[in-house]
Amino acid sequence: MGVIDMEKYRVPADKLKKTCSICTDLNFCKTSKDVTLLEGVIGQDRAVKSMEFGLSMEAPGYNIFVLGPQGTGKTTYSQTVVSKVASRRKVPDDWCYINNFSEWDKPLAISLPAGRGKVFQKDMEKLIANLVVYIPKAFEGSNFQQQKDDIIQKTNKQMTEILRDIDKIAKNAGFAIQQAGPRILLIPLIEGRQMTQEEFNNLSEEEREKIDEKRNQTAKEIDEKIRDGQMVQRLAEEKAAEIQKQAALEAAAPFMEQLKEKYRDFRQIVDYLDKVLKDVAENHEIFSSVRHSLDENIITKLQDGSDSLDGEEENIFEKTASVKDLKDPFTRYKVNLFINNENTKGAPVITENSPYYYNLFGKIEYKSHMMTTVTDFTMIKPGAIHKANGGYLILQAKDLLMDPFAWASLKKALKYKEAVVENIGEQSRYVPTVTLKPQPIPLNLKVILIGSYFYYQFLAADEDFRKLFKVIVDFDVEMDRTPENIRHYVAFIASICEGENLKHFNCEALARVVEYGSRLADSQNKLSTRFNMVSEIVYEASALAEADFSEYVEGRHVQQAIKNKRYRSNRLEEKMQEQILNKKVLIDTEGAVVGQVNGLSVMGVSGYAFGLPSRITARTYAGREGIINIERETDMSGNIHSKGVLTLNGYLGGKFAQEKPLGLTAQVTFEQLYGGVEGDSASSAELHAILSSLSGVPIKQNLAVTGSVNQMGEIQPIGGVNEKIEGFFDVCSLQGLTGDQGVIIPVSNIDNLMLKDEVIEAVKNNLFHIYAVSTIEEGIELLTGVKAGKKDAYGEYEKDTIFYLANNKINEFNKVLKTAEEGA
């Protein structure tokens, strides 16, 4: 059979991890104190350019989706770069809601330059305070009193004449007038005196009828005069109301003219002030009623032109400005300062951490009153989109999608470029007793959504998403391990140390963190950009150095921090290893068995991944079913794993069924696997088990194997190679290292090796071995110690090789099948 040269497949110890050299890689510093602190984000050139492009685009639909796994720094970067861009932009206008005197339920929105909204609000408050004093004062003036007296005198004179006429009409008709409550009674006269009822009854019927007829005629004439009197009173009341209105108008006009002059450049405000003046004149009585309730000290202060009231007096004013129904009569003249950008520097940047509907889009508040709910325009409250209007709104996609109304409403706002304030109940037509429809505010903002690939794919299914979020900022999880990026890594560590007041790292500690970055990236040539995981080690190593009273964080502190982090998470891993050690889960690390191989898999729990060996077995016999994947038959196999198993049929057909049928049935399974299995990294191990079963040559149980295979027998790279190697190493260590144990990996995974020091030390001492293969043939030779075999000139495999023995077995199966078929 020949001797297999295992040395040519052995991976030397110096290839098992790419160390960070203090002399060459870190020759620019002695500690992290010596480097310039990091600015910006590192290793994300594509993302940075995409963000710069997205922020520079003013065209519609160029909102930004920042895409990437958790921990890549995408949120911090987004906030930093957006804030920097926003600081160079113009501060947006203030927005106010004011009363709509034509349609009270449709408040009007007005904009003013930043800071002017608050001034306008204060101006209107001062106006109300002045009118409370000067409108009632106008009614006390001599001119107003003279006009009022003239109306009274004229009215009294007219009413006296009307009463005289009524009395004359009655007397001429022979009646006296007698008042009976609201009624006027006409009593017949006889010899200048009122006729008694007895005298009236003694009259003949004809005489009584004549008196009644005359009385009715006289009553009609008197009714006409009474109507004339009522008209006189009505005209007098209207005239009195008119002079009161005119007096209030004249009292308010100077204050209103001052405001109109101040806001002459704002046509909407000027029009509003005209309507306020008209409404004030029509509702002047509310100012008089409040005036009578005020303390004289407040009135004096207002008359003196004070800009503001002291705290206690202001409270009194607010209380007296409320009537019995708890509704402020002056609300109609107030200003709801909806958005105040008085203190904003540049364009606003709003990060809404709870992007639920009302937090985003505002709401209309209500208060209970008389068994119902009431509201007004001063109870309209802004949301994040209003606060961010004219700037930027940063949201987490995950949180946004938690609210069933938020995403649809955000799309609508961006699509129509307007911010509408409406409560959820109003959208579903379940409305309160009183509701408002505030005028929408024009919307001009850029939304930055941040999320993982899952949420991006979910949103991408929405046809509006691609129209509204045209810029994708894709954050990578790794970057090249170049001298420049190593410098950036050190600068990142230095920034954390300075910013969080941690102990600085010496060169050895920096080297260990760089190596940890490569381990996170599963590559000797890459560094992880999941900086939250890197920063955790920085924090924890610093704490260990603090407890150790070290001046700097040293390499041993970093290594201990990594071990501690693993220990906190590996309870399940240890339990599984304990099951193997106690023979509850059957895994052999010695001996050789036909049709049985140690495969390797990776398990994950709470962000921690670890490798474990799995026993894979194969049984072959005569049949036409080909390879039967037991996991697939029992619905425990994922699609990728099922594809990997089906691929094996192609390989076996190419090797053994070019000139004959593949009369083979092979059952393959993961023993003691009670959960699902996914991935094709065990396909080479499954094929090795089948070849062992066909050839009858046992597989060494001191070796484990990982790698996927294609139909040509080429070994393809897999993920989690470090965890898989370490998982088998740990099991072998628990059972006792024998010196011949090891793992077979794909050649293409060598540059992914960043193994822990215990494995490397064992390899150096020839207690454990890593082998790398590129074909199934190389793998089966390592596993069995027998050559795979090649075809000679006659198309026959070399005698006593794996393929020779397997081919003979298949020939025997075909004979059995032929005999059985002929017998049938």
Side-chain angles (χ1 to χ4, degrees):
M1 292 186 183
V3 178
I4 303 302
D5 182 11
M6 299 182 70
E7 286 301 317
K8 68 178 182 179
Y9 302 113
R10 195 187 307 275
V11 180
D14 60 356
K15 296 289 186 182
L16 302 182
K17 178 180 182 179
K18 185 175 182 179
T19 58
C20 180
S21 171
I22 295 175
C23 297
T24 57
D25 296 326
L26 298 176
N27 57 5
F28 56 88
C29 68
K30 292 183 179 179
T31 70
S32 56
K33 255 185 182 177
D34 305 331
V35 300
T36 304
L37 300 183
L38 179 67
E39 292 185 5
V41 66
I42 59 176
Q44 303 289 356
D45 292 343
R46 178 181 287 102
V48 169
K49 290 178 181 178
S50 298
M51 180 66 87
E52 290 174 350
F53 167 75
L55 293 175
S56 68
M57 289 296 295
E58 299 292 339
Y62 281 85
N63 297 292
I64 300 169
F65 192 99
V66 182
L67 172 66
Q70 184 180 9
T72 51
K74 56 187 184 295
T75 298
T76 302
Y77 167 72
S78 298
Q79 292 171 336
T80 302
V81 70
V82 170
S83 297
K84 187 175 181 181
V85 171
S87 65
R88 300 193 294 266
R89 292 189 57 186
K90 176 186 174 184
V91 178
D93 288 347
D94 292 341
W95 281 94
C96 302
Y97 271 110
I98 56 175
N99 186 30
N100 184 341
F101 292 98
S102 301
E103 297 179 273
W104 71 269
D105 61 335
K106 297 178 180 178
L108 302 174
I110 58 172
S111 63
L112 287 160
R116 293 290 298 276
K118 187 174 182 179
V119 173
F120 180 50
Q121 183 186 50
K122 293 295 182 183
D123 284 342
M124 290 304 295
E125 290 175 355
K126 186 177 179 182
L127 172 67
I128 294 170
N130 283 323
L131 296 184
V132 165
V133 173
Y134 288 100
I135 287 180
K137 191 174 181 180
F139 299 147
E140 300 169 1
S142 59
N143 184 43
F144 175 80
Q145 291 296 330
Q146 182 62 50
Q147 293 182 63
K148 184 178 177 181
D149 290 344
D150 289 346
I151 293 172
I152 293 172
Q153 291 175 8
K154 184 178 180 181
T155 302
N156 289 340
K157 182 179 179 181
Q158 290 176 321
M159 291 303 297
T160 300
E161 291 177 356
I162 289 172
L163 291 173
R164 189 182 300 120
D165 290 344
I166 290 173
D167 187 62
K168 185 177 181 180
I169 291 171
K171 285 182 177 180
N172 290 340
F175 292 96
I177 296 176
Q178 183 176 324
Q179 196 80 25
R183 297 175 57 197
I184 294 178
L185 301 179
L186 295 177
I187 309 299
L189 295 174
I190 182 171
E191 296 178 358
R193 62 178 177 80
Q194 295 183 10
M195 183 182 294
T196 65
Q197 186 65 40
E198 183 180 355
E199 290 174 329
F200 181 78
N201 291 338
N202 291 331
L203 294 175
S204 65
E205 184 177 349
E206 183 178 354
E207 289 176 323
R208 287 198 302 269
E209 288 179 356
K210 285 182 180 180
I211 291 175
D212 287 339
E213 184 179 350
K214 196 170 187 179
R215 178 161 36 203
N216 292 336
Q217 181 64 35
T218 303
K220 289 181 181 179
E221 293 180 21
I222 290 175
D223 285 344
E224 289 181 7
K225 285 297 180 179
I226 290 174
R227 282 194 290 271
D228 290 344
Q230 290 172 342
M231 180 61 71
V232 168
Q233 288 180 327
R234 188 178 303 113
L235 290 174
E237 290 171 356
E238 290 177 356
K239 186 65 176 176
E242 183 62 31
I243 65 167
Q244 285 180 326
K245 180 178 176 181
Q246 186 61 34
L249 196 67
E250 291 174 358
F255 299 104
M256 215 65 71
E257 288 301 323
Q258 289 178 3
L259 288 181
K260 288 170 67 175
E261 176 62 24
K262 185 174 183 178
Y263 295 98
R264 64 182 181 275
D265 295 330
F266 304 96
R267 184 70 251 172
Q268 195 175 6
I269 293 181
V270 171
D271 292 342
Y272 167 72
L273 292 172
D274 286 336
K275 293 176 182 177
V276 169
L277 179 60
K278 180 181 177 182
D279 192 82
V280 163
E282 292 175 350
N283 296 280
H284 57 81
E285 64 276 358
I286 63 176
F287 295 93
S288 298
S289 63
V290 171
R291 166 65 174 79
H292 297 318
S293 304
L294 290 180
D295 186 276
E296 287 301 322
N297 292 332
I298 300 177
I299 295 172
T300 302
K301 196 168 186 180
L302 290 171
Q303 289 175 331
D304 291 342
S306 175
D307 289 335
S308 63
L309 297 170
D310 295 336
E312 185 176 355
E313 293 171 333
E314 188 171 10
N315 290 335
I316 295 173
F317 180 79
E318 290 294 331
K319 290 177 182 178
T320 55
S322 298
V323 293
K324 290 181 180 180
D325 64 355
L326 302 180
K327 183 178 179 182
D328 184 350
F330 298 136
T331 296
R332 60 202 301 119
Y333 309 123
K334 290 183 177 181
V335 173
N336 179 359
L337 182 53
F338 190 64
I339 294 298
N340 181 13
N341 286 313
E342 178 184 18
N343 298 317
T344 304
K345 307 298 182 184
V349 179
I350 303 298
T351 301
E352 181 52 67
N353 296 318
S354 299
Y356 302 117
Y357 179 86
Y358 289 122
N359 288 353
L360 279 177
F361 304 102
K363 61 182 174 180
I364 302 170
E365 293 183 341
Y366 294 85
K367 61 183 177 183
S368 298
H369 175 63
M370 302 290 289
M371 303 293 289
T372 185
T373 54
V374 295
T375 188
D376 59 64
F377 69 93
T378 63
M379 300 172 74
I380 304 171
K381 304 301 179 183
I385 63 167
H386 305 101
K387 297 172 185 175
N389 197 11
Y392 305 89
L393 177 60
I394 301 175
L395 303 171
Q396 294 291 334
K398 176 183 177 182
D399 298 329
L400 178 70
L401 293 173
M402 292 292 287
D403 189 296
F405 300 97
W407 169 240
S409 299
L410 180 62
K411 287 193 304 178
K412 183 179 177 182
L414 294 176
K415 187 175 182 179
Y416 297 108
K417 296 182 181 179
E418 60 180 22
V420 179
V421 181
E422 59 180 352
N423 290 354
I424 294 174
E426 294 162 22
Q427 294 178 331
S428 60
R429 299 182 182 275
Y430 178 75
V431 298
T433 305
V434 179
T435 187
L436 301 177
K437 292 184 179 179
Q439 182 180 8
I441 291 176
L443 192 61
N444 176 29
L445 85 163
K446 192 176 290 289
V447 176
I448 295 92
L449 263 183
I450 302 173
S452 65
Y453 291 97
F454 172 81
Y455 292 103
Y456 173 75
Q457 291 171 346
F458 180 83
L459 289 169
D462 187 334
E463 62 180 12
D464 292 326
F465 175 75
R466 294 185 182 275
K467 296 177 183 177
L468 296 173
F469 289 84
K470 296 180 179 179
V471 180
I472 305 302
V473 176
D474 194 355
F475 270 67
D476 201 350
V477 295
E478 60 186 23
M479 61 184 180
D480 291 337
R481 183 171 163 173
T482 61
E484 181 184 7
N485 282 339
I486 289 176
R487 285 175 176 266
H488 289 324
Y489 237 62
V490 173
F492 169 73
I493 297 168
S495 298
I496 296 177
C497 294
E498 284 292 326
E500 302 297 331
N501 197 27
L502 304 179
K503 284 187 174 295
H504 277 277
F505 284 51
N506 66 16
C507 268
E508 184 187 2
L510 292 171
R512 299 294 83 78
V513 176
V514 170
E515 291 166 4
Y516 181 68
S518 285
R519 172 58 190 260
L520 290 176
D522 269 335
S523 174
Q524 297 179 356
N525 304 314
K526 300 286 184 180
L527 289 170
S528 174
T529 55
R530 301 182 70 171
F531 291 108
N532 68 327
M533 301 181 74
V534 177
S535 62
E536 288 172 3
I537 296 301
V538 173
Y539 282 112
E540 294 170 24
S542 175
L544 290 171
E546 189 80 37
D548 207 23
F549 300 103
S550 296
E551 182 181 1
Y552 293 103
V553 178
E554 301 174 4
R556 59 191 175 90
H557 297 130
V558 175
Q559 289 176 315
Q560 188 60 47
I562 295 171
K563 288 180 180 179
N564 291 348
K565 184 177 179 64
R566 177 179 179 179
Y567 176 74
R568 292 194 298 269
S569 304
N570 74 341
R571 184 186 62 84
L572 180 60
E573 179 184 18
E574 290 185 353
K575 290 290 184 183
M576 298 292 287
Q577 292 172 353
E578 184 180 329
Q579 292 283 313
I580 295 172
L581 185 63
N582 295 332
K583 303 298 182 181
K584 304 298 183 183
V585 175
L586 302 179
I587 297 292
D588 292 333
T589 57
E590 296 179 273
V593 181
V594 173
Q596 177 178 300
V597 67
N598 288 322
L600 295 170
S601 60
V602 175
M603 297 183 66
V605 55
S606 301
Y608 174 70
F610 59 93
L612 280 174
S614 300
R615 175 177 288 182
I616 300 173
T617 61
R619 298 299 296 269
T620 53
Y621 49 88
R624 301 291 189 190
E625 289 83 0
I627 298 176
I628 298 174
N629 173 15
I630 293 179
E631 278 72 34
R632 181 186 178 191
E633 296 300 316
T634 55
D635 294 327
M636 295 171 65
S637 174
N639 292 332
I640 298 174
H641 178 251
S642 297
K643 177 188 175 184
V645 174
L646 292 173
T647 300
L648 306 184
N649 274 317
Y651 177 82
L652 293 173
K655 287 293 183 182
F656 306 115
Q658 296 297 299
E659 298 175 356
K660 59 180 180 295
L662 189 64
L664 166 69
T665 296
Q667 282 188 287
V668 183
T669 188
F670 282 71
E671 302 290 357
Q672 293 185 282
L673 177 69
Y674 307 110
V677 59
E678 180 59 303
D680 63 351
S681 65
S683 57
S684 65
E686 291 168 320
L687 185 51
H688 290 138
I690 292 172
L691 290 174
S692 172
S693 179
L694 283 172
S695 66
V697 177
I699 288 177
K700 301 173 184 178
Q701 299 301 295
N702 56 297
L703 296 176
V705 62
T706 184
S708 71
V709 63
N710 61 26
Q711 292 189 110
M712 308 307 294
E714 297 171 320
I715 303 298
Q716 302 169 143
I718 44 83
V721 65
N722 292 297
E723 288 82 2
K724 291 175 178 178
I725 293 172
E726 291 171 357
F728 189 66
F729 171 80
D730 289 340
V731 170
C732 291
S733 296
L734 288 172
Q735 294 184 345
L737 293 174
T738 61
D740 60 357
Q741 294 153 330
V743 176
I744 301 172
I745 65 170
V747 167
S748 50
N749 277 122
I750 292 177
D751 63 352
N752 297 113
L753 296 176
M754 288 296 296
L755 294 168
K756 62 183 181 180
D757 292 342
E758 293 89 333
V759 178
I760 297 173
E761 193 64 29
V763 170
K764 288 180 178 178
N765 295 327
N766 286 321
L767 295 175
F768 198 76
H769 311 280
I770 311 296
Y771 303 100
V773 298
S774 55
T775 65
I776 280 291
E777 291 80 3
E778 294 173 351
I780 197 66
E781 289 179 352
L782 282 171
L783 288 167
T784 62
V786 178
K787 285 188 176 182
K790 295 180 180 179
K791 286 186 177 181
D792 57 20
Y794 301 100
E796 298 291 335
Y797 286 109
E798 301 171 78
K799 191 174 181 180
D800 295 330
T801 61
I802 297 293
F803 291 159
Y804 173 83
L805 297 172
N807 191 53
N808 287 346
K809 180 66 73 173
I810 291 172
N811 288 334
E812 292 176 12
F813 289 161
N814 282 333
K815 289 178 181 178
V816 171
L817 290 171
K818 184 176 180 181
T819 301
E821 290 167 357
E822 289 176 350

